[in-house]
Amino acid sequence: MPDRSPSTTKGAFHCPHCGVYAKQRWMEVGGCYLHGDELPQTSSVLAGKVYKAMTTNPGETPNPLQQQKHSKPTMHWRGPQTPKVKRRNTTSGELPMKLSGNVWAVSSVFLSECTYEDCRKISVWLDERLLFPEKSTVSAPNPDLSDELKADYLEAASIVSQSPRGAAALLRLCIQKLCNELTEKKDTIDKNIQRLVDEHGLDIEVQTSLDAIRVIGNESVHPGELNMQDNHDTAVVLFDLVNFIAQQMLTAKRKRKEFQDNLPASVRAKIERRNAKQPI
């Protein structure tokens, strides 16, 4: 299976934001000196200027960027090309390279934009290293999960480094939703997991693992609630369990069906006749 992880050597990879395999548009970053003693115009500063102008002149919606006295930073698209990473002098810490006048090209900083229509988010790179978003240490969600569950999974992955308890709470909720979908019954996780083990062939070790990390059992934590005892290791186990349940209950079932569908019609008919004769 080809390596599709994010990298400055590729024109397409699994987006660090949405997880979708998509082409990337690469940008080189440049900029210039601010005017005089002017400070960086962060989003909060610009928002304050807009609010002040709107309250002073009702009905007008100003663009504070048009009032800047310095040239705005520039970004150059590289199209389908990948960035030409140059090793910087790590001893001196030198990073920018002067082009002309007060314009500088930040030779080791690159941006990649995901071309997936529902994402379009930008990632920031320093040399070959991904700076933003923080690279996730968890696996991608099982592709057979529903869109809603994938969204929950990816949201948990995006916060697991900063808030493992928040990620664990989201994943417990994700497991509850997954069990509801698989059993087609809105019930407690305990009862639905038991149904999956008894009626659908889910590995009993999954039930034991869920009990151990307080998803089911007498000391279970309610889905969506924070548990002060959760940590990063707990969250990683929950990520793996979501994918394992999906692998057993969804992916394996889909692959069995694909295998049967690819059999010759005569063979499928023979199997169906044989199964019809077996007692229920």
Side-chain angles (χ1 to χ4, degrees), residues 163-219:
S163 177
R165 288 193 293 268
L170 274 171
L171 291 166
R172 286 191 176 92
L173 187 61
C174 186
I175 291 174
Q176 182 181 49
K177 291 179 181 178
L178 177 58
C179 291
N180 289 346
E181 289 182 8
L182 293 171
T183 61
E184 298 182 348
K185 294 179 182 292
K186 287 189 176 182
D187 211 333
T188 63
I189 298 182
D190 297 66
K191 292 181 178 179
N192 274 339
I193 287 290
Q194 193 64 55
R195 287 189 182 98
L196 291 175
V197 171
D198 295 341
E199 303 171 17
H200 301 273
L202 179 65
D203 194 325
I204 195 169
E205 293 299 323
V206 173
Q207 187 178 32
T208 304
S209 299
L210 291 172
D211 195 359
I213 56 175
R214 303 181 68 188
V215 175
I216 62 175
N218 295 330
E219 297 182 2

Side-chain angles (χ1 to χ4, degrees), residues 2-13 21 24 26 80-83:
D3 178 16
R4 294 182 170 180
S5 59
S7 169
T8 54
T9 63
K10 302 170 186 173
F13 47 70
Y21 180 73
Q24 304 291 317
W26 286 99
Q81 302 177 44
T82 55

Side-chain angles (χ1 to χ4, degrees), residues 10-118:
K10 302 170 186 173
F13 47 70
H14 287 295
C15 172
H17 292 279
C18 67
V20 172
Y21 180 73
K23 290 184 178 180
Q24 304 291 317
R25 294 185 69 191
W26 286 99
M27 288 179 279
E28 294 176 326
V29 181
C32 52
Y33 291 115
L34 299 180
H35 180 75
D37 296 328
E38 191 169 4
L39 299 176
Q41 300 295 292
T42 61
S43 57
S44 57
V45 172
L46 291 175
K49 287 188 175 183
V50 171
Y51 176 78
K52 182 178 180 180
M54 290 181 69
T55 53
T56 305
N57 303 298
E60 295 185 14
T61 305
N63 181 0
L65 288 176
Q66 294 177 349
Q67 302 171 13
Q68 301 301 311
K69 296 179 181 179
H70 61 278
S71 300
K72 298 187 291 295
T74 58
M75 294 178 289
H76 304 287
W77 291 107
R78 295 190 63 87
Q81 302 177 44
T82 55
K84 300 186 184 304
V85 176
K86 296 180 180 179
R87 294 290 180 179
R88 60 194 176 99
N89 188 332
T90 55
T91 303
S92 65
E94 293 178 356
L95 183 64
M97 177 179 65
K98 195 167 186 177
L99 294 180
S100 63
N102 67 337
V103 179
W104 294 74
V106 187
S107 58
S108 297
V109 178
F110 306 97
L111 307 179
S112 60
E113 182 195 42
C114 176
T115 60
Y116 178 53
E117 192 63 35
D118 291 338

